[in-house]
Amino acid sequence: MASITLEPIAPLGGLDLQIGHNRVIEQVDLALVSIAIPLGGDDVLAQRLQDHWGLASPEPTQTSTCDDWRAVSMTADQIMLIGQGDRPTTEAEIAAKLNGTGYTTNQTSAWVCLEVSGPDTVAAFARICPINLALAAFPIGASARTMMDHLGALIIRLDDDCFQVLSASSSAASFAHAVETSYRNVT
Amino acid sequence: MTQSERIAGGLINRSQKLTFTWNGTSLSGFEGDTLASALLANGQHLVGRSFKYHRPRGIFSAGSEEPNALVTLGSGAAQEPNTRATMVELADQITAQSQNHRGPLGWDLMTVNDLLSSFIGAGFYYKTFMWPRSFWEKVYEPVIRASAGLGSLSGIADDSSYDHGFLHCDLLIIGAGPAGLMAALTAARAGLQVIVADEDFLPGGRLNAEMYQIDAMPGAAWAAEQVAELAQMDNVRLMSRTTVYGAFDHGIYGALEVAQPGSDSTKPRQIVWRIYTKRTILASGATERSMIFANNDRPGIMQAGAVRSYVNRYGVGPGRHVAVLTNNDDGLRTAEDLRAKGITVTAVLDARKGEAVKNTFGRRRVSGIILQDDTSLAVDCLAVSGGWSPNVHLSSHQRGRPVWDGDIAGFIPGADQSPGMVVCGAAKGVFGLAAVLESGARVAGDIATDLGCHAKIDLPDTSNEAVGTAPIFDLAASKGRAWVDLQNDVTTKDIAIAQAEGFTAAEHMKRYTTLGMATDQGKTANVLGLAVMANLQNQTIAETGTTIFRPPYTPVSIGALAGRARGQNFRPKRLTPSHQWARENGADFVEVGTWIRPQWYKRPGEKGWRDSVDREVRMTRASVGICDVTTLGKIDIQGRNAAEFLNRIYANPFLKVPVGKVRYGLMLREDGVAYDDGTTARLSETHFIMTTTTANAVTVFRNLEFARQCLWPDLDVHLNSVTDAWAQFAVAGPNARALLSKVVDDLDLSNAAFPFMACTDCTVFGGTLARLFRISFSGELAYEVAVPSRYGNAMMAALIKVGHDFDAVPYGTEALSVMRIEKGHAAGNELNGQTTAHMLSMGAMVSQKKDAIGTRLSQRPEMIRDDDLRLMGFRPVDGGDTLIAGAHFLTQGADASMANDQGWMSSVAYSPSLGHAVGLGFLKRGADRIGETIVAHSPVRGGDILVEVCSPHHIDPKGERQRG
């Protein structure tokens, strides 16, 4: 066996941009695991999430949180857990706790995740995101799957002027370019 | 020039002088001017030449309806033709040029067209350019193309940036004139989220152009106060310089925002907004019409309302001796405003009293008019008011048909408007300031109530001015040419020709004469044209009907529509996980859909791509090659019924695939035609990983979702695209096993323990998660190993490093393609949407013991004929010949005709393994013709090549290598 250890590379190499008073940071150490809800198994899974993590099943367009995870409603039959610190065993550990009450899929490498913040963020995202990001319409904790500059994306509001946005990792550079251009066009 | 025609007053900022260039001459204006007002201030009335007859043309309006004053702004990359001077906000150092003339503007050589006008009336080109036939493309077309159009592009790429955006509101108000402002105030005070969009850079609409009094202050000052209040409100977005150009489905509107000239050039010059709104108020005002009389197109003949705009808003005298011609009371008010500014009003001709203009004269500008009694009056400006046409356009964008309102002599919106839209003010045919303000307030109040808010109607103190429009359009007092559509050079005579030739419907007349086309879309012309048409048909305008309108309301540049999607940013790019390694190791990249993939890796000394590709194929087949195949679609399928689901998706059986095994699958469309193939691995009883072709990854996923959600919602099946989640590498060649045994942790890779079509979860390099599949696209002993994609770059480097002992070589898409053709695997060229399983020699795979998508229709007699096309291999009889994809097969000696067509070559490559070209293709009765020599005929790319029919498996037809 060759003495080689594979080192991961974040899709954007750990992007960290300051644009005016706004900041774009690539979140490089996230773990993402999706959980599909077995047909007819909503209540069982919800109970399991509550029992093991104290995590409520998120309603559509909403998120729920516990100490380690944020749960996002992705589709009618699927949620995604987003947490800090990925390990090779993360998905397996979750699967073990679910014990067949949900089907897990490792999504950590599938997405690039940006935390975007600053006073121009809503204006910048109005250039690429069709979702109404007014605070009243999209409050803290809200989430939406949408398109940004022709790329599928997931957006979560973390604070008044702070969002977590995720898109496909293979097109991360195009996504980051779209976000950066949006900021530069409004600042 | 020194702004010789500037007069007192106006809303311009005289402390901010601006310099601009017109046809090479430096002129000046003030902040608050448009290019049109600044040109008039400098006495520049002649600003262009007409479309067809090259008649002198001047500024006709003061708004977006301008038909004449189309100019070219800027030069080089920033050159923008056909820009309405009336809509150009003056900025320092802008340059503008007149259009559509050969030679100087004042001496246009093409005025010869005007002398030939009798011969080039409406539709002349339909009848004139019929013969000789040889002239169609060589003479007529070049001449017509050279003559057509107005301004021209520079041919240099525009380096400005453009953007798109999305906005949301409760209420979109289109127009910030008196009705729009009143509506905005009412709705905003009630708490609605309001967007107010206005095409002008100064909100207020006609309030800025008239001498109205509201609440004992000038109308313009009142407008400014209201705008200031709105600007302070958090629930209001005021968008000046923004034209709502289209009303689309579901409360979505398109709007074009133009940056203030001279603003930061690093920011987008124009933005196309998509506005989502619950309700819309159309407060777009009205457009003043001209009247029809001989030579009514000369520079200096203007809308009366425009004259008031230039005098009252811009402090410019459009003439020093002005006559007024009107069919309503606006004309009388024009005379009052002119006199108040000290301008001589030579005559006021009220058509309602039978007064008219019979003709005009003057070469580059009107210098006089002739009255009915043939007396002449010396004038340098004629202000004409033929009444007002409500701007109903946006109410028509979803097939709303305007209706004629005889009381105002104009079309008003019909009942079938866009859902959620209400119309108010002049756009609805409401004239009189007090009535307009109330109209805006009432509709906004109703909408606020409807949306659950309480609105208070608080109207300012003002009055209604007299209007009294009489439906008099065509004075018809002389025999001279009288213009109906200034922009398209359509005269009353043209409409008569159309009528005489049977184009008696409004839509037909428009298309035959071009009336109402081009940048102004007939805003000043349509009603006049219909009036002439009605007169010719001896009926009313209401009986004649009208054309309707579609987006855009005013022109939108292609650059704005494209937004950022240009050049490198035309579409997103997807990079493979090992992209960085490939870039550092000599890869030459190719676009594969949105993916950027290495197509080969150049080594020192290689003179062309063939050298690289041939080497990669040879070394892979001789030892081992590595290719990043991440781009193949990967779909994670889980659930209690996942196997049943796949069994219904694939044409071949999947119900009993064992855990730890991979099976090749063929998907059919519902009509039985093959559309995708790939391998699907079973990782557990409830867990499969499907691979699709790169091209069909999205289509297959979408179809699976449709099947899951709509066809079989009773199945417990769940899907995730994991294409981006896993970096996958093909490791192919006789030393693939030896190489991977140094990579994979604790796994017996012997043929007995991990045979062909085996799969497993595993780890590599001491603990990195991985999946291993023993599958082969190249036909060699091969595996595909997958790791989480963030480890993909390191994995590629590690595989090459470990493979050093075996002379492992990275290979790109070209070598991949060569090897699959050598092996006889079908790919996109063979799965082209026309081919069946039978044609692909996979007919036996279509199980008749179960039902799957496409199974039934794949068994139609025509799709399983034994004498039909069959996928075969081909090699040139002369080993030195190159094969051509797309060539059609003929039996030797047969004529190249459709009747003799025997099939086609779908894929070709040079096989470095065999030393000659190889091909795949479809041949009639192919399976029975192995060894036959036929002709590959390519009339497009040249020549006939003799080819021998052979097995499609040019290499290892028994599959011993991949199973070894």
Side-chain angles (χ1 to χ4, degrees), chain B residues 76-151:
Chain B
Q79 184 168 315
E80 185 174 4
N82 302 337
T83 306
R84 293 155 294 163
T86 50
M87 295 302 290
V88 176
E89 184 177 357
L90 194 67
D92 206 31
Q93 304 303 326
I94 65 170
T95 63
Q97 297 177 72
S98 53
Q99 300 182 157
N100 205 36
H101 49 87
R102 291 186 190 173
L105 174 60
W107 300 96
D108 180 9
L109 296 173
M110 292 300 288
T111 50
V112 65
N113 282 7
D114 202 28
L115 301 175
L116 300 172
S117 62
S118 300
F119 304 103
I120 56 175
F124 79 97
Y125 35 83
Y126 298 134
K127 310 161 198 166
T128 307
F129 302 111
M130 304 295 285
W131 66 90
R133 185 185 179 113
S134 60
F135 275 34
W136 286 2
E137 292 181 4
K138 293 178 180 171
V139 179
Y140 297 145
E141 183 180 335
V143 170
I144 292 170
R145 284 195 183 280
S147 303
L150 293 167

Side-chain angles (χ1 to χ4, degrees), chain B residues 478-525:
Chain B
S478 72
K479 295 181 181 177
R481 281 186 294 160
W483 268 257
V484 176
D485 185 330
L486 294 172
Q487 184 160 96
N488 292 290
D489 261 346
V490 178
T491 65
T492 52
K493 178 185 166 190
D494 295 316
I495 298 173
I497 292 172
Q499 171 76 18
E501 300 195 356
F503 298 96
T504 54
E507 296 282 3
H508 292 162
M509 184 270 285
K510 171 180 177 173
R511 280 151 186 83
Y512 193 69
T513 63
T514 69
L515 186 146
M517 295 186 179
T519 64
D520 71 341
Q521 287 288 293
K523 290 183 177 65
T524 60

Side-chain angles (χ1 to χ4, degrees), chain B residues 305-580:
Chain B
V307 168
R308 295 200 298 282
S309 292
Y310 289 115
V311 168
N312 296 329
R313 174 174 170 177
Y314 298 105
V316 171
R320 299 185 181 190
H321 301 278
V322 182
V324 177
L325 172 64
T326 184
N327 67 3
N328 63 82
D329 292 322
D330 273 344
L332 308 181
R333 198 163 55 253
T334 306
E336 288 174 20
D337 288 1
L338 288 168
R339 289 188 185 111
K341 296 288 184 179
I343 294 172
T344 301
V345 178
T346 308
V348 177
L349 303 165
D350 192 334
R352 293 171 297 183
K353 299 177 183 173
E355 296 165 342
V357 171
K358 187 176 177 180
N359 208 338
T360 71
F361 52 90
R363 217 176 70 186
R364 295 179 194 165
R365 178 179 176 184
V366 65
S367 57
I369 59 175
I370 300 172
L371 307 182
Q372 286 162 301
D373 60 2
D374 288 330
T375 57
S376 297
L377 288 178
V379 299
D380 55 7
C381 176
L382 175 61
V384 183
S385 181
W388 294 78
S389 295
N391 290 328
V392 300
H393 309 72
L394 283 142
S395 73
S396 283
H397 283 184
Q398 290 177 51
R399 302 300 298 170
R401 186 163 286 278
V403 295
W404 181 254
D405 183 343
D407 291 340
I408 65 159
F411 284 96
I412 60 173
D416 49 350
Q417 290 156 25
S418 303
M421 175 188 280
V422 292
V423 190
C424 70
K428 194 178 182 182
V430 175
F431 296 109
L433 182 57
V436 164
L437 291 168
E438 182 174 358
S439 171
R442 297 282 175 211
V443 296
D446 291 346
I447 288 172
T449 303
D450 194 33
L451 294 177
C453 295
H454 174 68
K456 183 182 173 193
I457 307 297
D458 188 8
L459 295 171
D461 181 27
T462 188
S463 60
N464 284 318
E465 70 279 12
V467 182
T469 303
I472 303 167
F473 307 107
D474 187 354
L475 302 179
S478 72
K479 295 181 181 177
R481 281 186 294 160
W483 268 257
V484 176
D485 185 330
L486 294 172
Q487 184 160 96
N488 292 290
D489 261 346
V490 178
T491 65
T492 52
K493 178 185 166 190
D494 295 316
I495 298 173
I497 292 172
Q499 171 76 18
E501 300 195 356
F503 298 96
T504 54
E507 296 282 3
H508 292 162
M509 184 270 285
K510 171 180 177 173
R511 280 151 186 83
Y512 193 69
T513 63
T514 69
L515 186 146
M517 295 186 179
T519 64
D520 71 341
Q521 287 288 293
K523 290 183 177 65
T524 60
N526 283 346
V527 169
L528 297 183
L530 293 171
V532 174
M533 201 171 169
N535 193 39
L536 290 167
Q537 296 179 10
N538 198 25
Q539 59 186 11
T540 65
I541 293 177
E543 290 167 335
T544 303
T546 180
T547 57
I548 63 172
F549 306 94
R550 60 191 172 195
Y553 172 63
T554 51
V556 181
S557 67
I558 298 295
L561 291 172
R564 303 177 188 177
R566 53 190 293 188
Q568 289 293 304
N569 301 312
F570 177 67
R571 59 184 178 189
K573 290 191 192 77
R574 302 178 76 183
L575 305 182
T576 59
S578 63
H579 183 84
Q580 183 181 324

